[in-house]
Amino acid sequence: MTAPKAVEDADPVLLGSEAERRSALRLVLETPLYRAATVAMFLSGLGFSAAAPQIASFLVNELHASLPVAGLYYLTSLTAPIAGYLVGARSDRTGRRLGLFRMCAVAGFLGWTGIAFSTQLWMPFVVSAVVLGFAGAATSQVFAALHDEIAARPKAGNDGVVAMVRMALTGGWVIGPAAGSFLAALAGPRVMLFATALCTLAQIVPFLTRRASAPRATGVDVRAKSLPAATAKPGFRQMAPLLMFTALYMCVYAGESIKYAYLPIYMIDQLRLTPALSGAIIGVQPLVELALMPLAVFVARRTGMMRLMILAAGFGVAANICFATSGTALGLFAGQILMGGVWGVFAALGIVVAQRLLPTSVATASAIFMSSAALSSALGGLAGGLGVATIGLPLVFLVPALFAVIAAVGLAWMSRFSAQSLTTGR
């Protein structure tokens, strides 16, 4: 398998003295589009992560769903990859990144508002499957717009900008669960869900007066009725490297749904850890992730993105082995710190790699990559359920360890055929 030739020339990471002097933070502060994307992604992460842990209890307590039925709600996210692909393909045909982003954000507002005011159990399921699937594509459109801006105005440290915007999304996820729990306890779950709707809509505000650069493949006028062949719908052969990379990413991500489903149960029911200690163990991962994301970009410039991701997948293997075998709080802390290393790399670099593997259709690439989390969550839920029924706790964590081994081997194989911009960081 060979990556497209265009990948070699796509968005090079500029090195040397100029790059060292010009920081990603300075670029974000200087560039209106980068500032807007950073604020929007923080609001996106804040809103969604506030609702995600509360939705099952809302279905049970407010709409009287049984626990099994409430669990089925998460399967509605399986429509997200389809919706994301449709939006991404439309974006690549028209070049209207921010216009589609605004439409997706409005869809998110309407969707979460509909769930907040639902009176029948079927309503959240239908709204989530039909409306929120398109809302999830908003994030991919922002990263596609960032790609276009970087291609139009290349500067040293641009890949660091992508990492900083991704850090803002992660920062929202750090704050959101606690904020959502507090608001739900104070004002009720319906108010909390409507607050999520407002956060989703508020993503539009930083972009109200912003215009994105035209996609490089389409030329300067994105309103043209006929676009060059470079923006034609990519075939399977063109998409194969991206699809393989996304599948390997899903193997890594599947471990998260297994971990969040069973690690709290293991800590409380079997290890008898206090709630405060259990919370500290869970909370250490995003802190490590945030700290390591800028470092991941710095190291990738010297070692190559794919090589660094192989190492990160290896961290995932070690982390899950810690969960499965340690039996102590110290071992679980070590596992979570290693997982912070996994996501410090994949969160910072994953979207960049995905776009470079399909450089002629970056919105499609962004949408496929970003929406793969829904499929990987379903994969992890199925594998974790079968695993815990077969080998129990804590050995179920050997299942995501195996997934991480598959990812590491697959990434190592891909790195042999990937273009120079992925293997050398240039």
Side-chain angles (χ1 to χ4, degrees):
M1 179 181 64
T2 59
K5 175 66 174 68
V7 177
E8 298 182 14
D9 302 320
D11 309 332
V13 181
L14 304 179
L15 300 174
S17 59
E18 181 186 359
E20 300 302 326
R21 293 193 300 267
R22 193 174 184 87
S23 69
L25 177 59
R26 182 179 174 185
L27 283 173
V28 169
L29 294 177
E30 289 178 348
T31 311
L33 180 67
Y34 297 164
R35 292 199 306 267
T38 303
V39 174
M41 289 300 93
F42 175 78
L43 291 171
S44 174
L46 178 66
F48 186 78
S49 65
Q54 302 293 325
I55 190 68
S57 61
F58 168 75
L59 296 175
V60 171
N61 297 327
E62 297 292 325
L63 300 180
H64 311 295
S66 65
L67 287 176
V69 170
L72 292 176
Y73 171 84
Y74 295 97
L75 294 180
T76 61
S77 63
L78 293 178
T79 61
I82 300 172
Y85 175 78
L86 293 175
V87 172
R90 176 69 176 175
S91 177
D92 285 325
R93 286 196 301 271
T94 64
R96 295 180 62 246
R97 314 296 198 204
L98 295 186
L100 288 166
F101 160 74
R102 294 181 184 104
M103 293 172 63
C104 290
V106 170
F109 169 75
L110 295 175
W112 284 113
T113 300
I115 292 176
F117 291 98
S118 293
T119 57
Q120 301 293 324
L121 181 58
W122 60 268
M123 296 171 67
F125 286 81
V126 173
V127 169
S128 179
V130 177
V131 181
L132 292 186
F134 287 95
T139 299
S140 65
Q141 293 307 297
V142 170
F143 282 103
L146 285 176
H147 176 278
D148 297 338
E149 183 76 11
I150 288 170
R153 299 174 178 83
K155 295 182 177 70
N158 270 332
D159 280 356
V161 170
V162 176
M164 289 201 67
V165 174
R166 188 60 178 81
M167 286 174 65
L169 184 64
T170 301
W173 273 85
V174 172
I175 299 173
S181 297
F182 176 78
L183 185 58
L186 182 67
R190 293 184 185 273
V191 173
M192 181 274 301
L193 291 171
F194 186 65
T196 292
L198 293 176
C199 281
T200 305
L201 184 63
Q203 294 178 81
I204 297 175
V205 175
F207 287 102
L208 287 178
T209 60
R210 305 298 174 211
R211 289 182 177 272
S213 297
R216 184 165 59 180
T218 67
V220 296
D221 187 0
V222 299
R223 298 168 295 180
K225 292 183 179 180
S226 61
L227 297 177
T231 61
K233 181 179 178 181
F236 177 79
R237 186 169 183 177
Q238 288 177 284
M239 294 178 64
L242 169 68
L243 294 176
M244 181 175 181
F245 174 71
T246 302
L248 296 174
Y249 172 78
M250 286 170 56
C251 287
V252 177
Y253 198 96
E256 289 294 279
S257 57
I258 298 174
K259 182 186 72 177
Y260 283 115
Y262 299 112
L263 187 60
I265 296 173
Y266 175 56
M267 290 190 294
I268 294 173
D269 293 350
Q270 294 193 19
L271 298 185
R272 306 294 180 184
L273 301 183
T274 64
L277 182 56
S278 299
I281 291 172
I282 293 294
V284 73
Q285 176 185 321
L287 297 178
V288 174
E289 177 183 339
L290 281 172
L292 291 183
M293 286 175 74
L295 180 62
V297 175
F298 177 82
V299 175
R301 290 172 179 170
R302 287 149 177 80
T303 66
M305 298 184 191
M306 295 294 280
R307 295 188 185 113
L308 190 58
M309 286 185 169
I310 296 167
L311 177 62
F315 285 169
V317 177
N320 283 291
I321 290 175
C322 285
F323 298 148
T325 61
S326 67
T328 65
L330 185 61
L332 299 184
F333 267 117
Q336 281 288 79
I337 291 170
L338 287 167
M339 289 304 298
V342 173
W343 294 111
V345 172
F346 277 94
L349 304 176
I351 187 67
V352 177
V353 172
Q355 290 175 341
R356 292 183 178 186
L357 289 173
L358 195 64
T360 59
S361 301
V362 294
T364 300
S366 301
I368 290 173
F369 179 78
M370 298 297 290
S371 61
S372 66
L375 293 177
S376 61
S377 293
L379 171 65
L382 176 61
L386 294 175
V388 79
T390 304
I391 57 179
L393 284 172
L395 293 181
V396 69
F397 297 111
L398 294 177
V399 175
L402 177 60
F403 281 149
V405 169
I406 294 171
V409 172
L411 290 167
W413 186 83
M414 280 194 73
S415 70
R416 297 176 57 190
F417 303 99
S418 295
Q420 183 181 8
S421 63
L422 299 182
T423 55
T424 67
R426 294 177 185 270

